[in-house]
Each structure stands twice: as structure tokens, then as C-alpha cells.
Amino acid sequence: MANPSSALNEQAAEQPGADKDAPLKEDIRLLGRLLGDVLRDQEGEEVYAVVETIRQTAVRFRREADAGAAKELDGMLKILTKEQTISVVRAFSYFSHLANIAEDQHHIRRRRAHLLAGSRPQRGSVDYALCKLKEAGVAQETVSTFFQEALISPVLTAHPTEVQRKSILDAEHDIARLLAERDLPLTPKERAANLHLLRARIATLWQTRMLRYTKLTVADEIENALSYYRITFLRELPGLYDDIEQDIAHHYGQQVPIDAPYVQMGSWIGGDRDGNPNVNGNTMSHALTRQATTILDFYLEEAHTLGAELSISTLMVACTPELQALADQSPDTSDHRADEPYRRALIGIYARLAATARALGATNILRKEVGHAEPYADARAFSADLQVLIDSLNAHHGAVLVQPRLSTLKRAADIFGFHLASLDMRQSSDIHERVLAELFAKSGVQADYAALDEDAKVRLLLSELAQPRLLNSPYVTYSDETVSELGVLRAAREIRARYGARAIRNYIISHTETVSDLLEVLLLQKELGLLRIAAGDAGPELDLMVIPLFETIPDLQRAAGIMEAVMAIPLVKELIGKQGQIQEVMLGYSDSNKDGGFLTSNWELYKAETNLVKVFEKAGVKLRLFHGRGGTVGRGGGPSYDAILAQPHGTVNGQIRLTEQGEIIASKFSNKDIGRRNLELLVAATLEASLLPQPEDAEHSKQLHQFETIMAEISDRAYKAYRNLVYETPGFTDYFFTATPIAEIAELNLGSRPASRKSTKRIEDLRAIPWGFSWGQCRLLLPGWYGFASAIGGWIADGDQAARLAQLQAMFQHWPLFATLLSNMDMVLAKTDLAIASRYAELVQDKELRERIFKRITEEHANTLEILQSITGASERLAGNPLLARSIQNRFAYLDPLNHLQVELIKRHRALSAESKADERVHRGIHLSINGVAAGLRNTG
């Protein structure tokens, strides 16, 4: 019997005019039906009926903006018992998760259909990028050089919007696998078995606690991140390398091996101390121990499996002398394998890996090795042993056996080493200043370092850097803060010695505002032996690149000037030369947005990048930018591919790092196929942005100058409009803390980092991440659009309106920065819902305050929609991305009820709090709804 799902998918993929989303709808209906069955079975028919009624009423509220529906919904929610409320919230939250799984599977299905159709390479693939480069006349040698010299690094971070538990991720991973299985030809019995397993996994999900009830530790965050390596990175990243080599050979007709690890993983988890008192030298050491254990577990398993697969006998085929020598070094002396050198060599490799794992902190080797062997000195020695196997197979009719496992293992060794990912260190500049002030004072060098002006600080720091002696002494007692900070640097030195130089190589300075902020970290490294000022020809040696992070609008405006000044210092010049004449600069998207609004943040980031390019070109230094992007558009989120292509010319050049934060990590990398696609998007965009020739004619330069001039004027207006609302409107802070679930988010055990830098209710002290997350929960997503209409509308009105509108339309058509900005805002507006937001506004009891502020927001929103349409010509949201438009539209049926439930639960929670009472079930219901809304919106963190 034919598989109806498979037949439907084939039809949707191949027949013109067919409903390409039919398989997605079928999957969502199936998962919804199974969840409904579980709900009936576990909670009873009455709860199931309540869920359905709420869903239908919420749909009516959306379609008709019906006051009657709103009142009916209010009435239904108020009479729900506490137990029913929890069940209803869980039902909609889990449906939100299940719909995401179905959507991911549909993306994979559509991509496969595109590839099977044999049409032009898909935009965002490396195949597509190479096609464009070949057409533009870019030579293969240029492409090969790019890959040999490039560094493309996604950096995983833990932030207080990461809401997924690992147990939930594991269950959802199983559901995704079973759903994908249904696209295969299945017999009736196999299909029935699949359905049974799907129902069982959804039942498991229902009976699994969705939330953590204890505060998340840094160790928990480390384990959570490591699960994505097992699911995606360990196999998909080496596989992507192989695909790219094949794509290059296809386009240029010649296979050129690329041995450089141009995509490398990074992490902040366990090393990011900024605002997190739970991170210290111990968490750094723990992070590397767990990372090393994870990658060595993978190597051990693969080596063991290879030993079973490579049963090649020298009675059948010869091997190289090098392989025979490797086999002879093995602790395996069994006569049964005397003629099987590959197996013996792999048994020896396994024994050395097991010894290495123990030396690097692993405590549980699953399979005991045959005998004793010395640990590997480093990952290069392990990789060299694997190359011996590959060379022998290639030389003796065994090339076909290299793929896929042995080549994947060799690639993995080159990419991940024994450290898995480079752990960045980060701390705030004011902490460094306090530590050095204490060291200076207690060593008698400078009594009050903090009181010095900037020039005096720079002179003192440079003088001290030239001194052979140290400031710190083991015989002096220091404050806990200083002891901790020196301990962190000591741990970094020990980690590098144990796990290799790639384990820790970057030190990021938050709130960089002056040249002295960078010199302070150089001096602190000198104190712990990470900077060695050698006399004579050897010159200075620096272990950790010092990377400034420019975050606020004023910081971004100062960035180029600070870097110009610091790179002119002879010592720094010499150190940059030792780094390969390359220097990294990090740009923060979150704080600049919270500080100045969406439009101004984008413009100031663009200006900072452009100015940095000029300064670095003048200094003869290669610039690597590290983009601190978040999940929301207001924090630099949106499609990474388009964001990279929209970077100013000269800012990529084969070098880019960017953060992957919050639930975006789960969204991008919890499915291996989706994860592979996201990794490929990064490589393809970096390749295009770096090598695709740019127009350099005078007309293009003149047009770009006009666009930039207009953008500068608009940005000034947008900044004033945003600041006026957020920082200058009386009562706005009270409105924000009442009309969003920010207080409840702060209570949720989402991450190890506090939601606010200080214990105040000032927006200035609130972290940018929960700021954006809160606006997403109440469906206003204000940081992603507010100020745009005031700025554009005012600018148009102050001149020839038709001409100015035409200029904006030209900017949209011909300038990637502006086009990407509008595209991202379009996506935000598609998820914004003023009717839902009005329910949250009702939480503000001061009627005058509520109406005054919500009216301003709704007016700006209406004007934004009108102006966006006039520029793009699209009357519907996401007209250029119908797949995403349908995806968002499909979510509302289960997303809206969660918002309505959240409002009701917040009312109950705050009423109880006012009476100094608490109800754990109400509290839990709010947190469940936060989880469900975040899953439904997908990029809210």
C-alpha cells in the first residue's frame, strides 16, 4: 500500500500550482490530534472541551476584534479552576512546540524537493554563492585562499531567555525523527507502529515537567549547550566541509582539499563574567572539562566503530609502512588480528584517546581500552594518526572506505581539537579598573588610580607594562573581587596549557569607553604570565587577544577613534603583528537598541563599522568584527544571511564571529538538518560578502552618499522619538513594568544571570535581553519598530513629499542596509498584535497613564504600517516571504489563547502579591505561558 503522506509530499513538490504547504498542514493536524487524544486521556473530556472553546473564541476575537468575544473570553478564563488553568496553558504551550517541529520538518522537506527538482541552486547555499562568484569571474585560487584564511565562528551564549529544558529537547528530537519517518514509504504495520510511538512520545512530553523549579546554574547551561553538539555540530559541521569541497569541484572542475578549519565553534558559557557573579575560574575549568569529555566521547565512539568497519586484511591487500608501524605500536597483540593492521591501529588510537580523556578530566570511559597507551600530546597528533589511515587506504584501493566515517572523524579532529569550542572570557571595564586600582595602591605605585584622568592612566599603564616586576604579591591580602579576577586569569593560563591555545584565546571588555580600558587588560594579563614582555629580538608575546565591546550609541560613535589611538601605541602595534596583523572588535546590538531605538541602532552600527574599516586600512590591520546579535530584531536578530550581506563593504573579508543566543540556539540547531542549513547560510553569506565584486563607479558612490545622508537625518529623528517615549515620558517606566510580564520573567529560572544589572526599577539598569523579551511576550515588540514612523513621516513632511518618498523607495530597492532593516521590521510587525497588547495594557490600573501611553504606541504603529506600505508597495505583511507569512498566521490559533491566559494569570498573581499571598500554581501557569509564547514567536529572546 502506498504511503499517502509520501505521495502527498511528492505531489506538493512536483505539481505546479499545488498547495506546497499541504504536508505541513497534515503534520500539524496529526500532531494536534495526537495531543488532543493525550489531553482527553490524561485530563478528561471536560478540559479538552474547555481548550477547544477557548481556541475558537480567541480566533473570533482575532478575526472580528469583537468586544463580545473579548468579554466572553474574559469570563471563561476567570472561572477556570487553578488545575484547569495549568492544563489549558500546557496544552497550548505544547501545541506551540509541536507546530514548530512540524514547521522545521516542512522546511527540510521543501529543501529536499528543491534539490531533487535539479533547479538553480537555492539562495543561501554555498552552491548558490559559488555560482554567483563564478559568473562574476572570481577565480578558483581566490576561493581556495578564502577558505584557507577565513574564520567563521558562531558563538553560543547563555542568556536569561533560554527556556528549553534538555528533557523537553530530547523528547521533541524524538518526535521530529518520527515525523520525518512518515515521509518514507511505510507498510501499514510500520505506519501504525510509528503512530503509536508518536503518541507515546507526546504522552511523555505531557507528563514531563516543562519548567525548571530551581535556579539554573552555569553547569546546567554548559550541559544544555553541549546537547546541541551531539545533535548537530559534531557530525554536520564536518559534513558541511565535505559538501563545500564538492561544490567547489563542481563549479571550478578541480578538487582542492581545504585543510584549514574555517568554521570554528565558540562559547561564552562558563567564561562570561559580565554581570554574572556565578562565573569564575572554576566554571571556566568545568566548561573545558565538560567540552573535552564531550568531544573525546565522540572520538572514542567513532574510533571503536571504525575498528569494526575496517576489517581489511594484509592477506588481501597491502598497507603503507606508516600504517604498519602504527599498528605495531598498538597494545593489541592478539594473533587473531595479526593480519588486520587497520583494526590494530585503531585499537591503539582508541587506547591513546582513552588515556587523553582521563588526562583531560573525563571520569567515565564507556569501553575500557585493550591495554595501556600514552595520551596524545595534542589533537594534531591524533589527526596525524588518522591521516596515516587515510593515506594507506588511498594508496591501496581503499579510497571508497575513507568516506564517510574516517574522513568525518579527521575533519572533526581538525575543527574541534580536544577543546571542542573556544571559550571567550568577558568582563566589564569598571571591574578591571577597580582591580588595578587596588593593585596599584597596595604596591605603592599609585594611591588613587581611578581618580586619574585618561591621559595619566594611559601613561601609568604603559609605564607599568614596560616594567619587569609584578604588582601583585602572594604576601598581600586583597579584596575578594581582586582575588577572583586574578584567579580567572590564572585559570585561563592553566586551561591553555592543558587543552591547547585554541581553548581560550579571546578576552572581551564590556563597556569599552577609553584606550585605558584595553591597556588595563593587557596589564592584568602581564600579572598572570599571559603577556610576556621579553627583551631583545623575541619581543612581547600575548596569549589572549584583547577585544573591545562597543555597546551603547555613544560607545559606537567613539569606537573608531579609540581603535585608531590604541593601534598607534608601539606595544599594541607589535602585539597585533604577532596576532597575524589581525584585530577583533565586538559590536553590541542589544544595548544600542535599548539606548537609542531600532533605526538609530542599525545606523550607528553601520557608521561604526564603516569608520572602523577606514581606521584599520590606514593602520594596515585586518579587521574581524564580532556581532553581538540576539534573537529579536530589536537585538540584531533576523535572518543571519541577509544581515551579513547587508554589512558595509570591507567589513567581512572572510572574518566574522556572531553570537547565537537564547531560544534561537534551539530554533536553529536542535534539528540536525535545520542546523546544517543554518551553518551553511553563515558560510555562504560570508563567502558572498567577502568575494563578490562591488560596484565602484562614481555614480554608485554618489548614490550611496545620498542614501547615507538621508539615513543620518532620519536616524536623528528616530532617536529623539524613541528616547522621548522610553526615557522622557512621565510614567513610562511604571507602564512598562505593569503592562508587560517583566517582573514575572525576572522570577523565572531561565538562566544563571540576573535580569537586571542593579536592584532598581530603572530601564537604564535593566538588561537589554529581558527588555526585548518582555515586549515580545505582550505582542507589541516595540524595540523592533518604534520611532520609525515619527522619523520618516517627519522627514518626508519637511520637504518635497513626492521626491522624498521616491528617494526612500530607491533606498529600499538599491541599498541592502535599508532593505534588510525594512524586511526585519516587516517581520516584527507581522507578529505584533495591538488587540492582544491592549489586554496587557489593561493591567495598568492608572487609566490616565494607560490611555496616554498606549494611545501614543498605537498611533506610531498605525503610522508605521502606512509608511512601510508607501515605501515597499506591499499592503500585506511579509508579501515577499509568503512562507513565513503563512507560518506566522498559522501560529495565531494557539499563540493568542496563551496571551489571553497569561494576562488572566498575571492579574491573579499580582492580586495575591498585593495581599502578601502566593499561589505556586498561578506562578507556574505564568511561566508556562511565557515558555509557550516564546516558542510560538520563535525569535523573541
Side-chain angles (χ1 to χ4, degrees), residues 600-611:
T600 299
S601 170
N602 275 272
W603 172 237
E604 291 297 341
L605 284 159
Y606 175 92
K607 280 203 306 179
E609 291 179 38
T610 305
N611 291 334

Side-chain angles (χ1 to χ4, degrees), residues 14-35:
E14 294 180 5
Q15 289 190 7
D19 182 2
K20 292 183 172 63
D21 287 345
L24 170 61
K25 293 171 185 173
E26 182 189 343
D27 285 346
I28 288 177
R29 279 195 297 267
L30 172 65
L31 294 175
R33 177 168 61 79
L34 292 175
L35 179 61

Side-chain angles (χ1 to χ4, degrees), residues 713 717 790-801 804:
E713 293 179 31
R717 294 170 183 265
S790 293
I792 300 279
W795 182 77
I796 290 174
D798 282 354
D800 182 331
Q801 296 187 19
R804 290 197 164 190

Side-chain angles (χ1 to χ4, degrees), residues 730-792:
F732 183 83
T733 300
D734 291 335
Y735 178 91
F736 168 69
F737 275 90
T738 311
T740 74
I742 178 62
E744 290 73 21
I745 286 168
E747 297 168 8
L748 185 51
N749 294 311
L750 292 172
S752 66
R753 183 191 303 274
S756 189
R757 288 187 169 90
K758 300 176 184 175
S759 300
T760 70
K761 283 186 72 173
R762 295 173 72 245
I763 290 172
E764 290 88 341
D765 295 330
L766 187 69
R767 292 188 181 281
I769 299 157
W771 161 258
F773 194 58
S774 301
W775 288 114
Q777 287 285 311
C778 72
R779 302 286 290 281
L780 267 177
L781 293 96
L782 182 137
W785 56 269
Y786 194 90
F788 176 83
S790 293
I792 300 279

Side-chain angles (χ1 to χ4, degrees), residues 701-718:
S701 298
K702 180 182 176 184
Q703 184 186 55
L704 180 61
H705 178 69
Q706 288 173 344
F707 291 168
E708 289 174 342
T709 303
I710 293 168
M711 192 68 173
E713 293 179 31
I714 292 168
S715 174
D716 288 343
R717 294 170 183 265

Side-chain angles (χ1 to χ4, degrees), residues 477-595:
T477 301
Y478 298 106
S479 65
D480 289 346
E481 182 176 68
T482 295
V483 169
S484 177
E485 290 299 306
L486 294 178
V488 162
L489 288 161
R490 189 174 294 110
R493 189 185 66 210
E494 292 166 358
I495 285 167
R496 285 173 59 85
R498 190 176 192 188
Y499 298 97
R502 281 170 58 194
I504 294 184
R505 51 187 175 179
N506 299 312
Y507 195 120
I508 297 158
I509 308 167
S510 298
H511 312 119
T512 301
E513 298 172 346
T514 59
V515 169
S516 63
D517 289 338
L518 283 86
L519 296 179
E520 284 168 357
V521 175
L522 287 176
L523 183 53
L524 287 170
Q525 287 199 57
K526 173 177 171 279
E527 289 294 305
L528 273 300
L530 292 162
L531 168 61
R532 297 166 293 282
I533 308 291
D537 296 337
E541 292 183 15
L542 179 67
D543 288 347
L544 307 178
M545 184 186 287
V546 177
I547 301 169
L549 167 52
F550 300 106
E551 298 171 271
T552 65
I553 300 296
D555 291 347
L556 291 169
Q557 291 169 342
R558 286 191 292 260
I562 289 172
M563 292 312 298
E564 184 173 32
V566 80
M567 289 192 299
I569 295 170
L571 172 63
V572 175
K573 241 184 201 179
E574 200 170 355
L575 291 172
I576 290 174
K578 292 283 187 73
Q579 292 168 183
Q581 210 61 21
I582 188 166
Q583 173 63 42
E584 186 169 302
V585 173
M586 185 172 183
L587 302 176
Y589 289 64
S590 307
D591 284 285
S592 59
N593 178 274
K594 186 166 82 70
D595 184 34

Side-chain angles (χ1 to χ4, degrees), residues 448-464:
D448 192 355
Y449 170 73
L452 299 177
D453 63 26
E454 173 63 8
D455 289 343
K457 282 181 180 176
V458 169
R459 283 195 300 272
L460 176 60
L461 291 165
L462 289 174
S463 170
E464 198 58 41

